[in-house]
Amino acid sequence: MQKNILITGCSSGLGLALTSFYLQKGFKVFGISRNKPEIQNINFIHISFDLSQISKIKEILSPIIKDISQIKTVFLNAGMLGKIKILEELSTSEMKEVYELNVYANKELLDILKNIKVKNILATSSGASKTGYKGWGSYSLSKAGVNMLVNLYSNEMPNTKIIALAPGVIKTPMTDYIRFEIDENTFISAKKLNDGIIQTPSETAIKIDAFINRIDEFETGSFVDIRKI
């Protein structure tokens, strides 16, 4: 029987790498993003939707997602970094934009998913949810929110393994912005990224699939940093 994968933020970065990886493994992949990636595969079903439209998620996506049977894994991957700024210079409207996409959009999706049969749900988190680097206010707060969102929903979804997964540092436009456009003398996180290990999205997809093969070793509702296992 065909098993299905659902991925948000499938048009670039890790989401695109996961999409390509599972298509190569013969899965049927349903991808949600604003823009359709250039993938020519009969097993790829693209759903064009902007997840920042929080109030429309259930109206538009609920009937589509509920029509997908045998979902093996859902990757709640879509998200944004926001600007790297000290808190004093960071407006609440900027913080709200990041929080709504990274947390509230996933909340709406989880409300849909809890009413259908799903084996695994992985929500993309970050080490920044645990370490408050200077300048990362919007992102760190939102990813800490993702961790707790996962923990809370695990109590309401007993038949689904749900994990907040930090995938490590990945070479994407987001990390390029931090590495090359941010003053590392002001924000030491930029220097840490430049000095540390940076993996490609494809390398990360392989590691995440290996994690899924071990997912029963981890408690549902927990935060897992893939670099520490």
Side-chain angles (χ1 to χ4, degrees):
M1 182 178 292
Q2 175 76 55
K3 290 185 178 179
N4 301 312
I5 300 285
L6 176 64
I7 302 172
T8 66
C10 68
S11 62
S12 64
L14 179 58
L16 179 58
L18 287 166
T19 299
S20 299
F21 179 85
Y22 284 105
L23 287 171
Q24 289 171 8
K25 290 191 70 173
F27 285 82
K28 191 169 188 177
V29 178
F30 294 80
I32 301 174
S33 62
R34 286 176 298 178
N35 303 310
K36 183 179 180 180
E38 295 182 2
I39 293 176
Q40 302 298 324
N41 190 307
I42 60 172
N43 284 325
F44 177 59
I45 309 298
H46 183 254
I47 303 161
S48 180
F49 185 78
D50 182 354
L51 287 166
S52 67
Q53 299 182 63
I54 310 294
S55 64
K56 296 182 179 179
I57 289 176
K58 286 177 180 171
E59 174 191 352
I60 302 298
L61 296 182
S62 183
I64 298 172
I65 293 173
K66 287 180 177 179
D67 197 44
I68 304 171
S69 61
Q70 297 293 318
I71 300 180
K72 181 182 179 184
T73 304
V74 173
F75 295 95
L76 298 178
N77 169 72
M80 65 183 297
L81 172 67
K83 293 294 184 181
I84 302 295
K85 294 181 179 181
I86 63 171
L87 288 170
E88 183 182 5
E89 296 175 355
L90 190 63
S91 70
T92 53
S93 61
E94 289 174 309
M95 297 173 75
K96 181 181 178 183
E97 180 184 17
V98 175
Y99 205 91
E100 286 189 343
L101 179 60
N102 291 0
V103 182
Y104 295 149
N106 285 328
K107 188 269 181 195
E108 295 295 280
L109 290 166
L110 286 165
D111 284 345
I112 299 169
L113 294 166
K114 70 181 294 187
N115 293 307
I116 60 179
K117 186 177 181 181
V118 181
K119 186 175 181 181
N120 306 310
I121 298 175
L122 300 184
T124 300
S125 185
S126 170
S129 68
K130 300 290 186 177
T131 304
Y133 289 118
K134 180 181 179 180
W136 289 58
S138 295
Y139 191 72
S140 290
L141 284 168
S142 70
K143 291 303 182 179
V146 168
N147 295 352
M148 183 51 68
L149 188 75
V150 163
N151 187 273
L152 290 167
Y153 271 91
S154 70
N155 298 312
E156 300 181 18
M157 302 175 71
N159 298 316
T160 299
K161 178 64 69 74
I162 177 169
I163 300 287
L165 184 68
V169 181
I170 309 168
K171 181 174 173 47
T172 63
M174 183 183 86
T175 53
D176 285 349
Y177 159 68
I178 299 167
R179 293 165 60 212
F180 305 129
E181 297 184 36
I182 300 301
D183 181 3
E184 65 179 31
N185 294 316
T186 303
F187 301 103
I188 62 169
S189 56
K191 180 173 175 53
K192 283 181 176 290
L193 287 188
N194 279 318
D195 293 344
I197 297 173
I198 300 175
Q199 56 198 350
T200 67
S202 296
E203 290 170 336
T204 310
I206 293 169
K207 290 181 179 180
I208 290 174
D209 185 62
F211 167 78
I212 292 172
N213 291 331
R214 298 176 50 196
I215 200 167
D216 289 341
E217 299 174 24
F218 300 89
E219 183 179 358
T220 188
S222 63
F223 165 83
V224 177
D225 190 327
I226 205 166
R227 296 167 294 187
K228 297 180 179 179
I229 60 174

